[in-house]
Amino acid sequence: MLTVCIPPIELWDETKNEFVGTKGATIQLEHSLVAISKWESRWNVPFLTKDKKTPEQLLDYIKCMTITQNVPQDVFNTIPKKILNRIVEYINNSMTATTFSQRETKGGSREIITSELIYFWMISYGIPFECQKWHLNRLLTLIRICNVKNQPAKKMGKKELMSRNAQLNAARRKKLNTRG
C-alpha cells in the first residue's frame, strides 16, 4: 500500500475570475487485481499492455487504486508531478525478493493478459481470493512460481550438463585443495 499526501493548492478559475482553493488530502493506494479489474471494466481495454496510457487513463487508474473513501475529484486533478512519479514507481516495483533464473525466463506467451485471465490463474492454482488485494506484481510472481513448480523438471542439454559438472568439479578441487 502506498500513502501519498496531496497538498492543498490555489488555482485561478477563468469562468468565475477568482482564485479557488482545493483541499489537500492523504490517500492510500493499492496497485492490485481489484484496481485493474475496475479500470478494465471502465475502459474495456487490457491494462497490462505495453501501450502507453493517456493522462486521463492514468488518472482514472489512480482513482481505481484509491482505498481511501470519499476523496474529492479536485484532489485527483491537482496531483503534483513528483507524486505522480512516485505512484508510477510504486506500480512498477516488484514488491518481492523472488528472482527467476534465465533458464525459466526464456520464451514467453503472446497472450493478452486481462484481469479475468489472472482470476482464472488464481482459481487454477488454488490461490485464495484474498490475494486479489496484494500488490499486482507480487500476485503475478506467486502465479509464476506456481506455474514453474507445477511443470515437470526439464532435462539439461549435453553442453549445459557438462558445463555445470565442470563448475562443480572446479569448486570441489578448490575446496579440497586437490588437483583432481
PDB file of all heavy atoms in Angstrom, residues 9 44 59 67 76 89 92 114 117 144 146 175-176:
ATOM      1  N   ILE A   9      -4.014  23.399  -2.871  1.00  0.00           N
ATOM      2  CA  ILE A   9      -3.475  24.270  -3.923  1.00  0.00           C
ATOM      3  C   ILE A   9      -4.523  25.326  -4.276  1.00  0.00           C
ATOM      4  O   ILE A   9      -5.716  25.084  -4.143  1.00  0.00           O
ATOM      5  CB  ILE A   9      -3.064  23.434  -5.168  1.00  0.00           C
ATOM      6  CG1 ILE A   9      -2.238  24.257  -6.122  1.00  0.00           C
ATOM      7  CG2 ILE A   9      -4.259  22.838  -5.835  1.00  0.00           C
ATOM      8  CD1 ILE A   9      -1.551  23.432  -7.197  1.00  0.00           C
ATOM      9  N   ASN A  44     -12.648  -0.909 -21.007  1.00  0.00           N
ATOM     10  CA  ASN A  44     -12.843  -2.027 -21.937  1.00  0.00           C
ATOM     11  C   ASN A  44     -11.604  -2.332 -22.774  1.00  0.00           C
ATOM     12  O   ASN A  44     -11.716  -2.710 -23.950  1.00  0.00           O
ATOM     13  CB  ASN A  44     -14.052  -1.777 -22.846  1.00  0.00           C
ATOM     14  CG  ASN A  44     -15.335  -1.663 -22.062  1.00  0.00           C
ATOM     15  OD1 ASN A  44     -15.558  -2.408 -21.115  1.00  0.00           O
ATOM     16  ND2 ASN A  44     -16.167  -0.719 -22.429  1.00  0.00           N
ATOM     17  N   LEU A  59      -4.922   8.814 -14.645  1.00  0.00           N
ATOM     18  CA  LEU A  59      -5.645   9.445 -13.541  1.00  0.00           C
ATOM     19  C   LEU A  59      -6.809   8.561 -13.089  1.00  0.00           C
ATOM     20  O   LEU A  59      -7.049   8.390 -11.891  1.00  0.00           O
ATOM     21  CB  LEU A  59      -6.154  10.824 -13.961  1.00  0.00           C
ATOM     22  CG  LEU A  59      -6.854  11.624 -12.873  1.00  0.00           C
ATOM     23  CD1 LEU A  59      -5.895  11.945 -11.739  1.00  0.00           C
ATOM     24  CD2 LEU A  59      -7.409  12.911 -13.449  1.00  0.00           C
ATOM     25  N   ILE A  67      -7.949   3.513  -2.016  1.00  0.00           N
ATOM     26  CA  ILE A  67      -8.674   2.784  -0.971  1.00  0.00           C
ATOM     27  C   ILE A  67      -9.434   3.773  -0.081  1.00  0.00           C
ATOM     28  O   ILE A  67     -10.495   3.466   0.430  1.00  0.00           O
ATOM     29  CB  ILE A  67      -7.686   1.949  -0.131  1.00  0.00           C
ATOM     30  CG1 ILE A  67      -7.006   0.912  -1.009  1.00  0.00           C
ATOM     31  CG2 ILE A  67      -8.390   1.286   1.035  1.00  0.00           C
ATOM     32  CD1 ILE A  67      -5.866   0.201  -0.333  1.00  0.00           C
ATOM     33  N   PHE A  76      -7.671  14.647  -7.106  1.00  0.00           N
ATOM     34  CA  PHE A  76      -7.044  13.876  -8.184  1.00  0.00           C
ATOM     35  C   PHE A  76      -6.559  14.798  -9.308  1.00  0.00           C
ATOM     36  O   PHE A  76      -5.540  14.534  -9.933  1.00  0.00           O
ATOM     37  CB  PHE A  76      -8.013  12.834  -8.749  1.00  0.00           C
ATOM     38  CG  PHE A  76      -8.350  11.747  -7.776  1.00  0.00           C
ATOM     39  CD1 PHE A  76      -9.595  11.700  -7.168  1.00  0.00           C
ATOM     40  CD2 PHE A  76      -7.424  10.772  -7.452  1.00  0.00           C
ATOM     41  CE1 PHE A  76      -9.909  10.704  -6.271  1.00  0.00           C
ATOM     42  CE2 PHE A  76      -7.733   9.770  -6.557  1.00  0.00           C
ATOM     43  CZ  PHE A  76      -8.976   9.737  -5.958  1.00  0.00           C
ATOM     44  N   GLU A  89       6.306   4.739  -9.879  1.00  0.00           N
ATOM     45  CA  GLU A  89       7.378   3.903  -9.314  1.00  0.00           C
ATOM     46  C   GLU A  89       6.787   2.766  -8.492  1.00  0.00           C
ATOM     47  O   GLU A  89       7.242   1.631  -8.572  1.00  0.00           O
ATOM     48  CB  GLU A  89       8.280   4.735  -8.392  1.00  0.00           C
ATOM     49  CG  GLU A  89       9.470   5.334  -9.045  1.00  0.00           C
ATOM     50  CD  GLU A  89      10.304   6.130  -8.039  1.00  0.00           C
ATOM     51  OE1 GLU A  89      10.428   5.718  -6.863  1.00  0.00           O
ATOM     52  OE2 GLU A  89      10.825   7.180  -8.446  1.00  0.00           O
ATOM     53  N   ASN A  92       5.384   0.062 -10.676  1.00  0.00           N
ATOM     54  CA  ASN A  92       6.421  -0.729 -11.343  1.00  0.00           C
ATOM     55  C   ASN A  92       7.290  -1.539 -10.392  1.00  0.00           C
ATOM     56  O   ASN A  92       8.056  -2.390 -10.841  1.00  0.00           O
ATOM     57  CB  ASN A  92       7.301   0.187 -12.192  1.00  0.00           C
ATOM     58  CG  ASN A  92       6.534   0.785 -13.345  1.00  0.00           C
ATOM     59  OD1 ASN A  92       5.601   0.182 -13.867  1.00  0.00           O
ATOM     60  ND2 ASN A  92       6.894   1.986 -13.735  1.00  0.00           N
ATOM     61  N   THR A 114      -5.569 -10.138 -19.102  1.00  0.00           N
ATOM     62  CA  THR A 114      -6.630  -9.297 -18.551  1.00  0.00           C
ATOM     63  C   THR A 114      -6.883  -9.736 -17.112  1.00  0.00           C
ATOM     64  O   THR A 114      -6.390 -10.779 -16.678  1.00  0.00           O
ATOM     65  CB  THR A 114      -7.939  -9.438 -19.360  1.00  0.00           C
ATOM     66  OG1 THR A 114      -8.383 -10.799 -19.255  1.00  0.00           O
ATOM     67  CG2 THR A 114      -7.754  -9.056 -20.819  1.00  0.00           C
ATOM     68  N   LEU A 117      -8.245 -13.276 -16.829  1.00  0.00           N
ATOM     69  CA  LEU A 117      -7.246 -14.330 -17.003  1.00  0.00           C
ATOM     70  C   LEU A 117      -6.461 -14.536 -15.705  1.00  0.00           C
ATOM     71  O   LEU A 117      -6.186 -15.668 -15.311  1.00  0.00           O
ATOM     72  CB  LEU A 117      -6.294 -13.982 -18.158  1.00  0.00           C
ATOM     73  CG  LEU A 117      -5.227 -15.028 -18.491  1.00  0.00           C
ATOM     74  CD1 LEU A 117      -5.859 -16.370 -18.847  1.00  0.00           C
ATOM     75  CD2 LEU A 117      -4.350 -14.544 -19.631  1.00  0.00           C
ATOM     76  N   ARG A 144       3.444 -17.091 -11.192  1.00  0.00           N
ATOM     77  CA  ARG A 144       4.574 -17.609 -11.986  1.00  0.00           C
ATOM     78  C   ARG A 144       5.292 -18.735 -11.245  1.00  0.00           C
ATOM     79  O   ARG A 144       5.679 -19.734 -11.853  1.00  0.00           O
ATOM     80  CB  ARG A 144       5.531 -16.459 -12.291  1.00  0.00           C
ATOM     81  CG  ARG A 144       6.609 -16.828 -13.259  1.00  0.00           C
ATOM     82  CD  ARG A 144       7.341 -15.599 -13.716  1.00  0.00           C
ATOM     83  NE  ARG A 144       8.495 -15.980 -14.483  1.00  0.00           N
ATOM     84  CZ  ARG A 144       9.460 -15.167 -14.816  1.00  0.00           C
ATOM     85  NH1 ARG A 144       9.403 -13.899 -14.463  1.00  0.00           N
ATOM     86  NH2 ARG A 144      10.492 -15.586 -15.512  1.00  0.00           N
ATOM     87  N   CYS A 146       3.911 -20.768  -9.048  1.00  0.00           N
ATOM     88  CA  CYS A 146       3.015 -21.929  -9.146  1.00  0.00           C
ATOM     89  C   CYS A 146       3.167 -22.610 -10.499  1.00  0.00           C
ATOM     90  O   CYS A 146       3.211 -23.848 -10.587  1.00  0.00           O
ATOM     91  CB  CYS A 146       1.563 -21.498  -8.942  1.00  0.00           C
ATOM     92  SG  CYS A 146       1.165 -20.991  -7.272  1.00  0.00           S
ATOM     93  N   LYS A 175      37.918 -26.434  -2.935  1.00  0.00           N
ATOM     94  CA  LYS A 175      37.544 -26.641  -1.526  1.00  0.00           C
ATOM     95  C   LYS A 175      38.451 -27.678  -0.863  1.00  0.00           C
ATOM     96  O   LYS A 175      38.887 -27.498   0.283  1.00  0.00           O
ATOM     97  CB  LYS A 175      36.094 -27.089  -1.448  1.00  0.00           C
ATOM     98  CG  LYS A 175      35.584 -27.302  -0.041  1.00  0.00           C
ATOM     99  CD  LYS A 175      34.146 -27.731  -0.026  1.00  0.00           C
ATOM    100  CE  LYS A 175      33.695 -28.026   1.412  1.00  0.00           C
ATOM    101  NZ  LYS A 175      32.349 -28.545   1.441  1.00  0.00           N
ATOM    102  N   LEU A 176      38.752 -28.766  -1.574  1.00  0.00           N
ATOM    103  CA  LEU A 176      39.554 -29.842  -1.014  1.00  0.00           C
ATOM    104  C   LEU A 176      41.058 -29.650  -1.248  1.00  0.00           C
ATOM    105  O   LEU A 176      41.869 -30.467  -0.820  1.00  0.00           O
ATOM    106  CB  LEU A 176      39.109 -31.202  -1.593  1.00  0.00           C
ATOM    107  CG  LEU A 176      37.638 -31.566  -1.284  1.00  0.00           C
ATOM    108  CD1 LEU A 176      37.244 -32.818  -2.040  1.00  0.00           C
ATOM    109  CD2 LEU A 176      37.441 -31.751   0.209  1.00  0.00           C
TER     110      LEU A 176
END
